[in-house]
Amino acid sequence: AQSVTQLDSHVSVSEGTPVLLRCNYSSSYSPSLFWYVQHPNKGLQLLLKYTSAATLVKGINGFEAEFKKSETSFHLTKPSAHMSDAAEYFCVVSRRGGGADGLTFGKGTHLIIQP
Amino acid sequence: DTGVSQNPRHKITKRGQNVTFRCDPISEHNRLYWYRQTLGQGPEFLTYFQNEAQLEKSRLLSDRFSAERPKGSFSTLEIQRTEQGDSAMYLCASTAGTGDSYEQYFGPGTRLTVT
């Protein structure tokens, strides 16, 4: 079975400083991994996805993530936080290989941006 | 608006009543998914359809839950004899294909409160 563990339930950073949201995965298959963001009262939006191509994946709004098989990690980073980044972030793995099957979500990391 | 739509957005019901939610996927998306998200948790997969065929149901989907997609377009999720534990956000998503490159697009959700 596939699973993801988000290592921090809350992360607080100052505006303009780097963001690091940590995620470890477990998968019997070669995984497809995703990061989704959920702003208050808005739908889930895909930030980026890894599907066995380049291990460094660039997403929207300046976010990127690196797939590290040896560490079973897929951490999300951004060089400089913006106030609009405040939201809930979910690390996600496909239940079987491929993003079109049902997804398994982590519990989420609440990102707080301090002015 | 060409995104995934869900109706109603909010539903308050009394324990024991039946409720039905509707999801309209993005036009021509052949896969449709239902997820449930409780407060402070990530979404959990419930079931998915390819066209009108329901291909998989999670163990979370008790026999009080039934989902349909009769013509391969919109879908309904019915909960019979609601319980307070059914209170959650019910999310619908759709995707165009079955490969790794296909993103799941999420609707805004239906928030169910069982009193």
Side-chain angles (χ1 to χ4, degrees), chain A residues 32 34 36 38 41-46 49 51-52 88 90 95-108, chain B residues 9 31 33 35 37 40-45 48 56 58 89 91 95 97-108:
Chain A
S32 294
F34 311 81
Y36 276 82
Q38 189 174 40
N41 299 316
K42 292 191 176 180
L44 285 156
Q45 181 183 21
L46 180 68
K49 61 184 177 185
T51 55
S52 74
E88 193 79 17
F90 294 98
R95 295 175 66 248
R96 300 186 186 89
D101 290 310
L103 301 174
T104 298
F105 284 73
K107 292 181 182 287
Chain B
R9 295 291 304 277
R31 283 206 173 188
Y33 310 79
Y35 294 83
Q37 185 177 20
Q41 301 295 317
E44 297 170 294
F45 170 77
Y48 82 93
E56 187 171 355
S58 161
M89 178 76 86
L91 297 168
T95 190
T98 60
D100 286 356
S101 62
Y102 292 100
E103 172 185 347
Q104 290 190 25
Y105 293 84
F106 282 82

Side-chain angles (χ1 to χ4, degrees), chain A residues 2-106:
Chain A
Q2 280 58 251
S3 66
V4 289
T5 302
Q6 293 185 243
L7 300 172
D8 307 290
S9 59
H10 292 79
V11 169
S12 180
V13 302
S14 298
E15 189 176 19
T17 65
V19 174
L20 170 65
L21 304 184
R22 299 182 294 163
C23 173
N24 287 348
Y25 71 90
S26 173
S27 176
S28 305
Y29 303 86
S30 180
S32 294
L33 292 160
F34 311 81
W35 277 96
Y36 276 82
V37 62
Q38 189 174 40
H39 288 93
N41 299 316
K42 292 191 176 180
L44 285 156
Q45 181 183 21
L46 180 68
L47 275 179
L48 50 80
K49 61 184 177 185
Y50 166 77
T51 55
S52 74
T55 56
L56 182 62
V57 181
K58 294 188 183 300
I60 61 171
N61 300 334
F63 285 94
E64 63 182 37
E66 186 171 8
F67 173 74
K68 292 186 176 180
K69 186 175 181 179
S70 61
E71 299 176 10
T72 61
S73 69
F74 190 58
H75 301 334
L76 181 71
T77 60
K78 182 173 181 177
S80 176
H82 192 272
M83 294 299 292
S84 60
D85 295 328
E88 193 79 17
Y89 290 79
F90 294 98
C91 182
V92 182
V93 64
S94 60
R95 295 175 66 248
R96 300 186 186 89
D101 290 310
L103 301 174
T104 298
F105 284 73

Side-chain angles (χ1 to χ4, degrees), chain B residues 31-101:
Chain B
R31 283 206 173 188
L32 184 148
Y33 310 79
W34 286 99
Y35 294 83
R36 181 175 67 187
Q37 185 177 20
T38 54
L39 203 61
Q41 301 295 317
E44 297 170 294
F45 170 77
L46 293 178
T47 187
Y48 82 93
F49 293 83
Q50 180 160 319
N51 300 314
E52 65 275 13
Q54 189 172 17
L55 295 187
E56 187 171 355
K57 292 192 286 187
S58 161
R59 280 173 288 183
L60 293 174
L61 212 66
S62 78
D63 56 7
R64 296 185 297 106
F65 288 69
S66 63
E68 294 183 343
R69 194 182 183 198
K71 297 183 179 179
S73 56
F74 73 91
S75 175
T76 58
L77 177 67
E78 180 183 16
I79 309 174
Q80 295 183 327
R81 305 181 303 281
T82 52
E83 302 173 355
Q84 286 188 320
D86 297 331
S87 295
M89 178 76 86
Y90 290 84
L91 297 168
C92 177
S94 69
T95 190
T98 60
D100 286 356
S101 62

